[in-house]
Amino acid sequence: MEEDDVSGLAAQLAYFFLLSLFPLLIVVVTLLPYLQISGLDILGLFRDFAPGETINLIESNLEEIMAHQNGKLLSFGVIGTLWSASNGINAIVRSFNKAYDVKETRSFVKARGMAILFTFAMIGVFIVALLLPVFGKEIGLFLFSEFGLSNEFLIIWNTVRWLVSLVVLFIFFTVLYWMAPNKKIKCVSVIRGAIFTTIGWIVVSWAFSYYVGNFGNYSATYGSIGAIIVLMIWFYLTGFIIIIGGEINAYYSKKVGC
């Protein structure tokens, strides 16, 4: 971790994550009429993981975006998201290449194209994470009322819905760890890192959110930009977890020679 400058690369990712967050929200908000998702559903997804102080920041910006959305908003959002987020993916690729001790030999077009594809995949994961809780709840209530199922069914159904979201997240990280490095590796060899990142990101997000909500008072130190600082720290922790997952995969890849 020290040799590959994991902390420095995580800081880069935090910067690119911040740049791509609101363009990503522009894309999702513009698609809301087609997906039958409300702005409250988006905020509900953030509340599950994001630290408390950031919710007001995201909510105020989301309301402003929705108030000024127009036909040109989607194209601007797509361009902004693709550029910012693909830069973030490129930073992830560089960190994985460092972990595997390989240099980037792919052409700019190929590397940027792969980054853009992963950006689309990230948007897809984000939308699925929104759709499953919203429509899954409606499906569960329909089955409950239609077939007269017990209350235990709703409890199990709600658990299954969130498990599916975790599986989607795990699949995304698996493909990212498998395809992003400039090295041919077996898909099965990245399972450890994908499991670590999926579980680690959720645990760290909840732990940091609990800390901010009960102990941390960043507004007292940073004033009105306290929420932005909290958001940046959360993004930094997210980048740190993703890069560590790549380091774990590289370590075991070198250890077993595959």
PDB file of all heavy atoms in Angstrom, residues 158-182:
ATOM      1  N   ASN A 158     -38.094  -8.172   1.830  1.00  0.00           N
ATOM      2  CA  ASN A 158     -37.282  -6.961   1.958  1.00  0.00           C
ATOM      3  C   ASN A 158     -35.805  -7.299   2.089  1.00  0.00           C
ATOM      4  O   ASN A 158     -34.942  -6.612   1.537  1.00  0.00           O
ATOM      5  CB  ASN A 158     -37.743  -6.149   3.175  1.00  0.00           C
ATOM      6  CG  ASN A 158     -39.093  -5.486   2.954  1.00  0.00           C
ATOM      7  OD1 ASN A 158     -39.446  -5.157   1.831  1.00  0.00           O
ATOM      8  ND2 ASN A 158     -39.850  -5.303   4.024  1.00  0.00           N
ATOM      9  N   THR A 159     -35.500  -8.386   2.803  1.00  0.00           N
ATOM     10  CA  THR A 159     -34.110  -8.813   2.939  1.00  0.00           C
ATOM     11  C   THR A 159     -33.545  -9.248   1.597  1.00  0.00           C
ATOM     12  O   THR A 159     -32.409  -8.899   1.237  1.00  0.00           O
ATOM     13  CB  THR A 159     -33.996  -9.972   3.944  1.00  0.00           C
ATOM     14  OG1 THR A 159     -34.543  -9.552   5.208  1.00  0.00           O
ATOM     15  CG2 THR A 159     -32.548 -10.391   4.131  1.00  0.00           C
ATOM     16  N   VAL A 160     -34.346 -10.002   0.834  1.00  0.00           N
ATOM     17  CA  VAL A 160     -33.905 -10.485  -0.478  1.00  0.00           C
ATOM     18  C   VAL A 160     -33.649  -9.315  -1.417  1.00  0.00           C
ATOM     19  O   VAL A 160     -32.680  -9.318  -2.190  1.00  0.00           O
ATOM     20  CB  VAL A 160     -34.943 -11.451  -1.075  1.00  0.00           C
ATOM     21  CG1 VAL A 160     -34.620 -11.759  -2.533  1.00  0.00           C
ATOM     22  CG2 VAL A 160     -35.001 -12.735  -0.268  1.00  0.00           C
ATOM     23  N   ARG A 161     -34.492  -8.287  -1.357  1.00  0.00           N
ATOM     24  CA  ARG A 161     -34.315  -7.124  -2.237  1.00  0.00           C
ATOM     25  C   ARG A 161     -32.956  -6.476  -2.015  1.00  0.00           C
ATOM     26  O   ARG A 161     -32.251  -6.144  -2.961  1.00  0.00           O
ATOM     27  CB  ARG A 161     -35.420  -6.088  -1.979  1.00  0.00           C
ATOM     28  CG  ARG A 161     -36.777  -6.485  -2.504  1.00  0.00           C
ATOM     29  CD  ARG A 161     -37.738  -5.313  -2.484  1.00  0.00           C
ATOM     30  NE  ARG A 161     -38.020  -4.835  -1.146  1.00  0.00           N
ATOM     31  CZ  ARG A 161     -37.626  -3.653  -0.684  1.00  0.00           C
ATOM     32  NH1 ARG A 161     -36.938  -2.844  -1.454  1.00  0.00           N
ATOM     33  NH2 ARG A 161     -37.935  -3.272   0.538  1.00  0.00           N
ATOM     34  N   TRP A 162     -32.584  -6.295  -0.775  1.00  0.00           N
ATOM     35  CA  TRP A 162     -31.298  -5.666  -0.489  1.00  0.00           C
ATOM     36  C   TRP A 162     -30.135  -6.593  -0.820  1.00  0.00           C
ATOM     37  O   TRP A 162     -29.064  -6.134  -1.224  1.00  0.00           O
ATOM     38  CB  TRP A 162     -31.247  -5.234   0.979  1.00  0.00           C
ATOM     39  CG  TRP A 162     -32.183  -4.104   1.268  1.00  0.00           C
ATOM     40  CD1 TRP A 162     -33.315  -4.127   2.022  1.00  0.00           C
ATOM     41  CD2 TRP A 162     -32.085  -2.762   0.760  1.00  0.00           C
ATOM     42  NE1 TRP A 162     -33.928  -2.894   2.018  1.00  0.00           N
ATOM     43  CE2 TRP A 162     -33.197  -2.044   1.264  1.00  0.00           C
ATOM     44  CE3 TRP A 162     -31.164  -2.116  -0.057  1.00  0.00           C
ATOM     45  CZ2 TRP A 162     -33.403  -0.701   0.957  1.00  0.00           C
ATOM     46  CZ3 TRP A 162     -31.378  -0.774  -0.352  1.00  0.00           C
ATOM     47  CH2 TRP A 162     -32.478  -0.086   0.153  1.00  0.00           C
ATOM     48  N   LEU A 163     -30.342  -7.891  -0.657  1.00  0.00           N
ATOM     49  CA  LEU A 163     -29.297  -8.841  -1.033  1.00  0.00           C
ATOM     50  C   LEU A 163     -29.031  -8.797  -2.537  1.00  0.00           C
ATOM     51  O   LEU A 163     -27.880  -8.903  -2.979  1.00  0.00           O
ATOM     52  CB  LEU A 163     -29.678 -10.256  -0.599  1.00  0.00           C
ATOM     53  CG  LEU A 163     -29.584 -10.556   0.899  1.00  0.00           C
ATOM     54  CD1 LEU A 163     -30.067 -11.973   1.196  1.00  0.00           C
ATOM     55  CD2 LEU A 163     -28.156 -10.369   1.397  1.00  0.00           C
ATOM     56  N   VAL A 164     -30.102  -8.643  -3.314  1.00  0.00           N
ATOM     57  CA  VAL A 164     -29.940  -8.538  -4.770  1.00  0.00           C
ATOM     58  C   VAL A 164     -29.127  -7.295  -5.115  1.00  0.00           C
ATOM     59  O   VAL A 164     -28.266  -7.316  -6.014  1.00  0.00           O
ATOM     60  CB  VAL A 164     -31.314  -8.510  -5.471  1.00  0.00           C
ATOM     61  CG1 VAL A 164     -31.154  -8.206  -6.949  1.00  0.00           C
ATOM     62  CG2 VAL A 164     -32.025  -9.849  -5.287  1.00  0.00           C
ATOM     63  N   SER A 165     -29.373  -6.179  -4.410  1.00  0.00           N
ATOM     64  CA  SER A 165     -28.593  -4.960  -4.641  1.00  0.00           C
ATOM     65  C   SER A 165     -27.113  -5.206  -4.356  1.00  0.00           C
ATOM     66  O   SER A 165     -26.239  -4.741  -5.099  1.00  0.00           O
ATOM     67  CB  SER A 165     -29.114  -3.827  -3.744  1.00  0.00           C
ATOM     68  OG  SER A 165     -30.450  -3.509  -4.048  1.00  0.00           O
ATOM     69  N   LEU A 166     -26.834  -5.965  -3.300  1.00  0.00           N
ATOM     70  CA  LEU A 166     -25.450  -6.289  -2.962  1.00  0.00           C
ATOM     71  C   LEU A 166     -24.820  -7.160  -4.040  1.00  0.00           C
ATOM     72  O   LEU A 166     -23.642  -6.985  -4.382  1.00  0.00           O
ATOM     73  CB  LEU A 166     -25.393  -6.997  -1.609  1.00  0.00           C
ATOM     74  CG  LEU A 166     -25.749  -6.160  -0.383  1.00  0.00           C
ATOM     75  CD1 LEU A 166     -25.636  -7.007   0.883  1.00  0.00           C
ATOM     76  CD2 LEU A 166     -24.848  -4.947  -0.274  1.00  0.00           C
ATOM     77  N   VAL A 167     -25.600  -8.094  -4.564  1.00  0.00           N
ATOM     78  CA  VAL A 167     -25.086  -8.975  -5.619  1.00  0.00           C
ATOM     79  C   VAL A 167     -24.745  -8.168  -6.864  1.00  0.00           C
ATOM     80  O   VAL A 167     -23.700  -8.387  -7.505  1.00  0.00           O
ATOM     81  CB  VAL A 167     -26.111 -10.082  -5.947  1.00  0.00           C
ATOM     82  CG1 VAL A 167     -25.686 -10.845  -7.200  1.00  0.00           C
ATOM     83  CG2 VAL A 167     -26.250 -11.044  -4.775  1.00  0.00           C
ATOM     84  N   VAL A 168     -25.603  -7.215  -7.226  1.00  0.00           N
ATOM     85  CA  VAL A 168     -25.338  -6.360  -8.393  1.00  0.00           C
ATOM     86  C   VAL A 168     -24.057  -5.567  -8.178  1.00  0.00           C
ATOM     87  O   VAL A 168     -23.216  -5.451  -9.080  1.00  0.00           O
ATOM     88  CB  VAL A 168     -26.524  -5.412  -8.650  1.00  0.00           C
ATOM     89  CG1 VAL A 168     -26.178  -4.388  -9.721  1.00  0.00           C
ATOM     90  CG2 VAL A 168     -27.757  -6.210  -9.065  1.00  0.00           C
ATOM     91  N   LEU A 169     -23.885  -5.039  -6.970  1.00  0.00           N
ATOM     92  CA  LEU A 169     -22.675  -4.290  -6.647  1.00  0.00           C
ATOM     93  C   LEU A 169     -21.446  -5.188  -6.719  1.00  0.00           C
ATOM     94  O   LEU A 169     -20.395  -4.797  -7.250  1.00  0.00           O
ATOM     95  CB  LEU A 169     -22.806  -3.687  -5.254  1.00  0.00           C
ATOM     96  CG  LEU A 169     -21.780  -2.630  -4.830  1.00  0.00           C
ATOM     97  CD1 LEU A 169     -21.855  -1.416  -5.749  1.00  0.00           C
ATOM     98  CD2 LEU A 169     -22.005  -2.218  -3.385  1.00  0.00           C
ATOM     99  N   PHE A 170     -21.581  -6.409  -6.214  1.00  0.00           N
ATOM    100  CA  PHE A 170     -20.473  -7.369  -6.244  1.00  0.00           C
ATOM    101  C   PHE A 170     -20.084  -7.720  -7.679  1.00  0.00           C
ATOM    102  O   PHE A 170     -18.892  -7.795  -8.003  1.00  0.00           O
ATOM    103  CB  PHE A 170     -20.872  -8.629  -5.474  1.00  0.00           C
ATOM    104  CG  PHE A 170     -19.955  -9.801  -5.695  1.00  0.00           C
ATOM    105  CD1 PHE A 170     -18.703  -9.847  -5.095  1.00  0.00           C
ATOM    106  CD2 PHE A 170     -20.339 -10.852  -6.515  1.00  0.00           C
ATOM    107  CE1 PHE A 170     -17.852 -10.923  -5.313  1.00  0.00           C
ATOM    108  CE2 PHE A 170     -19.494 -11.928  -6.734  1.00  0.00           C
ATOM    109  CZ  PHE A 170     -18.245 -11.961  -6.123  1.00  0.00           C
ATOM    110  N   ILE A 171     -21.066  -7.911  -8.530  1.00  0.00           N
ATOM    111  CA  ILE A 171     -20.790  -8.234  -9.937  1.00  0.00           C
ATOM    112  C   ILE A 171     -20.052  -7.084 -10.613  1.00  0.00           C
ATOM    113  O   ILE A 171     -19.097  -7.292 -11.374  1.00  0.00           O
ATOM    114  CB  ILE A 171     -22.105  -8.552 -10.683  1.00  0.00           C
ATOM    115  CG1 ILE A 171     -22.709  -9.864 -10.155  1.00  0.00           C
ATOM    116  CG2 ILE A 171     -21.858  -8.657 -12.186  1.00  0.00           C
ATOM    117  CD1 ILE A 171     -24.072 -10.183 -10.717  1.00  0.00           C
ATOM    118  N   PHE A 172     -20.472  -5.859 -10.329  1.00  0.00           N
ATOM    119  CA  PHE A 172     -19.803  -4.693 -10.918  1.00  0.00           C
ATOM    120  C   PHE A 172     -18.335  -4.644 -10.500  1.00  0.00           C
ATOM    121  O   PHE A 172     -17.442  -4.442 -11.340  1.00  0.00           O
ATOM    122  CB  PHE A 172     -20.508  -3.408 -10.486  1.00  0.00           C
ATOM    123  CG  PHE A 172     -19.779  -2.150 -10.888  1.00  0.00           C
ATOM    124  CD1 PHE A 172     -19.818  -1.698 -12.195  1.00  0.00           C
ATOM    125  CD2 PHE A 172     -19.053  -1.437  -9.946  1.00  0.00           C
ATOM    126  CE1 PHE A 172     -19.138  -0.546 -12.568  1.00  0.00           C
ATOM    127  CE2 PHE A 172     -18.377  -0.283 -10.312  1.00  0.00           C
ATOM    128  CZ  PHE A 172     -18.416   0.163 -11.618  1.00  0.00           C
ATOM    129  N   PHE A 173     -18.055  -4.837  -9.219  1.00  0.00           N
ATOM    130  CA  PHE A 173     -16.667  -4.795  -8.743  1.00  0.00           C
ATOM    131  C   PHE A 173     -15.861  -5.958  -9.317  1.00  0.00           C
ATOM    132  O   PHE A 173     -14.677  -5.797  -9.635  1.00  0.00           O
ATOM    133  CB  PHE A 173     -16.628  -4.821  -7.221  1.00  0.00           C
ATOM    134  CG  PHE A 173     -16.973  -3.517  -6.574  1.00  0.00           C
ATOM    135  CD1 PHE A 173     -17.926  -3.452  -5.563  1.00  0.00           C
ATOM    136  CD2 PHE A 173     -16.357  -2.349  -6.973  1.00  0.00           C
ATOM    137  CE1 PHE A 173     -18.243  -2.248  -4.962  1.00  0.00           C
ATOM    138  CE2 PHE A 173     -16.670  -1.128  -6.384  1.00  0.00           C
ATOM    139  CZ  PHE A 173     -17.619  -1.080  -5.374  1.00  0.00           C
ATOM    140  N   THR A 174     -16.495  -7.115  -9.465  1.00  0.00           N
ATOM    141  CA  THR A 174     -15.790  -8.265 -10.034  1.00  0.00           C
ATOM    142  C   THR A 174     -15.341  -7.978 -11.457  1.00  0.00           C
ATOM    143  O   THR A 174     -14.179  -8.219 -11.825  1.00  0.00           O
ATOM    144  CB  THR A 174     -16.698  -9.504 -10.008  1.00  0.00           C
ATOM    145  OG1 THR A 174     -17.053  -9.821  -8.658  1.00  0.00           O
ATOM    146  CG2 THR A 174     -15.978 -10.712 -10.612  1.00  0.00           C
ATOM    147  N   VAL A 175     -16.248  -7.447 -12.272  1.00  0.00           N
ATOM    148  CA  VAL A 175     -15.908  -7.119 -13.663  1.00  0.00           C
ATOM    149  C   VAL A 175     -14.858  -6.011 -13.708  1.00  0.00           C
ATOM    150  O   VAL A 175     -13.927  -6.043 -14.531  1.00  0.00           O
ATOM    151  CB  VAL A 175     -17.172  -6.703 -14.438  1.00  0.00           C
ATOM    152  CG1 VAL A 175     -16.816  -6.262 -15.853  1.00  0.00           C
ATOM    153  CG2 VAL A 175     -18.173  -7.854 -14.494  1.00  0.00           C
ATOM    154  N   LEU A 176     -14.983  -5.026 -12.817  1.00  0.00           N
ATOM    155  CA  LEU A 176     -14.013  -3.930 -12.782  1.00  0.00           C
ATOM    156  C   LEU A 176     -12.614  -4.449 -12.465  1.00  0.00           C
ATOM    157  O   LEU A 176     -11.631  -4.102 -13.156  1.00  0.00           O
ATOM    158  CB  LEU A 176     -14.435  -2.906 -11.728  1.00  0.00           C
ATOM    159  CG  LEU A 176     -13.511  -1.697 -11.534  1.00  0.00           C
ATOM    160  CD1 LEU A 176     -13.488  -0.837 -12.792  1.00  0.00           C
ATOM    161  CD2 LEU A 176     -13.949  -0.867 -10.328  1.00  0.00           C
ATOM    162  N   TYR A 177     -12.495  -5.294 -11.445  1.00  0.00           N
ATOM    163  CA  TYR A 177     -11.190  -5.835 -11.063  1.00  0.00           C
ATOM    164  C   TYR A 177     -10.632  -6.787 -12.128  1.00  0.00           C
ATOM    165  O   TYR A 177      -9.412  -6.934 -12.247  1.00  0.00           O
ATOM    166  CB  TYR A 177     -11.292  -6.573  -9.728  1.00  0.00           C
ATOM    167  CG  TYR A 177     -11.459  -5.670  -8.535  1.00  0.00           C
ATOM    168  CD1 TYR A 177     -12.459  -5.896  -7.588  1.00  0.00           C
ATOM    169  CD2 TYR A 177     -10.617  -4.589  -8.339  1.00  0.00           C
ATOM    170  CE1 TYR A 177     -12.609  -5.076  -6.491  1.00  0.00           C
ATOM    171  CE2 TYR A 177     -10.764  -3.753  -7.242  1.00  0.00           C
ATOM    172  CZ  TYR A 177     -11.761  -3.998  -6.318  1.00  0.00           C
ATOM    173  OH  TYR A 177     -11.911  -3.175  -5.239  1.00  0.00           O
ATOM    174  N   TRP A 178     -11.522  -7.410 -12.868  1.00  0.00           N
ATOM    175  CA  TRP A 178     -11.099  -8.367 -13.881  1.00  0.00           C
ATOM    176  C   TRP A 178     -10.636  -7.693 -15.169  1.00  0.00           C
ATOM    177  O   TRP A 178      -9.621  -8.050 -15.759  1.00  0.00           O
ATOM    178  CB  TRP A 178     -12.253  -9.333 -14.161  1.00  0.00           C
ATOM    179  CG  TRP A 178     -11.968 -10.384 -15.196  1.00  0.00           C
ATOM    180  CD1 TRP A 178     -10.777 -11.012 -15.442  1.00  0.00           C
ATOM    181  CD2 TRP A 178     -12.903 -10.919 -16.136  1.00  0.00           C
ATOM    182  NE1 TRP A 178     -10.912 -11.920 -16.468  1.00  0.00           N
ATOM    183  CE2 TRP A 178     -12.222 -11.885 -16.918  1.00  0.00           C
ATOM    184  CE3 TRP A 178     -14.263 -10.696 -16.377  1.00  0.00           C
ATOM    185  CZ2 TRP A 178     -12.839 -12.611 -17.926  1.00  0.00           C
ATOM    186  CZ3 TRP A 178     -14.877 -11.421 -17.380  1.00  0.00           C
ATOM    187  CH2 TRP A 178     -14.172 -12.366 -18.143  1.00  0.00           C
ATOM    188  N   MET A 179     -11.372  -6.664 -15.609  1.00  0.00           N
ATOM    189  CA  MET A 179     -11.129  -6.066 -16.916  1.00  0.00           C
ATOM    190  C   MET A 179     -10.222  -4.838 -16.873  1.00  0.00           C
ATOM    191  O   MET A 179      -9.547  -4.543 -17.858  1.00  0.00           O
ATOM    192  CB  MET A 179     -12.473  -5.669 -17.550  1.00  0.00           C
ATOM    193  CG  MET A 179     -13.443  -6.820 -17.750  1.00  0.00           C
ATOM    194  SD  MET A 179     -12.825  -8.052 -18.923  1.00  0.00           S
ATOM    195  CE  MET A 179     -12.825  -7.088 -20.437  1.00  0.00           C
ATOM    196  N   ALA A 180     -10.217  -4.113 -15.766  1.00  0.00           N
ATOM    197  CA  ALA A 180      -9.508  -2.835 -15.738  1.00  0.00           C
ATOM    198  C   ALA A 180      -7.988  -2.952 -15.797  1.00  0.00           C
ATOM    199  O   ALA A 180      -7.347  -2.185 -16.534  1.00  0.00           O
ATOM    200  CB  ALA A 180      -9.925  -2.039 -14.496  1.00  0.00           C
ATOM    201  N   PRO A 181      -7.344  -3.858 -15.068  1.00  0.00           N
ATOM    202  CA  PRO A 181      -5.869  -3.905 -15.128  1.00  0.00           C
ATOM    203  C   PRO A 181      -5.373  -4.294 -16.512  1.00  0.00           C
ATOM    204  O   PRO A 181      -6.024  -5.050 -17.229  1.00  0.00           O
ATOM    205  CB  PRO A 181      -5.510  -4.994 -14.094  1.00  0.00           C
ATOM    206  CG  PRO A 181      -6.713  -5.134 -13.229  1.00  0.00           C
ATOM    207  CD  PRO A 181      -7.888  -4.828 -14.103  1.00  0.00           C
ATOM    208  N   ASN A 182      -4.213  -3.791 -16.869  1.00  0.00           N
ATOM    209  CA  ASN A 182      -3.605  -4.113 -18.163  1.00  0.00           C
ATOM    210  C   ASN A 182      -2.819  -5.420 -18.035  1.00  0.00           C
ATOM    211  O   ASN A 182      -1.604  -5.471 -18.250  1.00  0.00           O
ATOM    212  CB  ASN A 182      -2.680  -2.974 -18.615  1.00  0.00           C
ATOM    213  CG  ASN A 182      -2.173  -3.170 -20.022  1.00  0.00           C
ATOM    214  OD1 ASN A 182      -2.814  -3.810 -20.856  1.00  0.00           O
ATOM    215  ND2 ASN A 182      -0.988  -2.634 -20.298  1.00  0.00           N
TER     216      ASN A 182
END
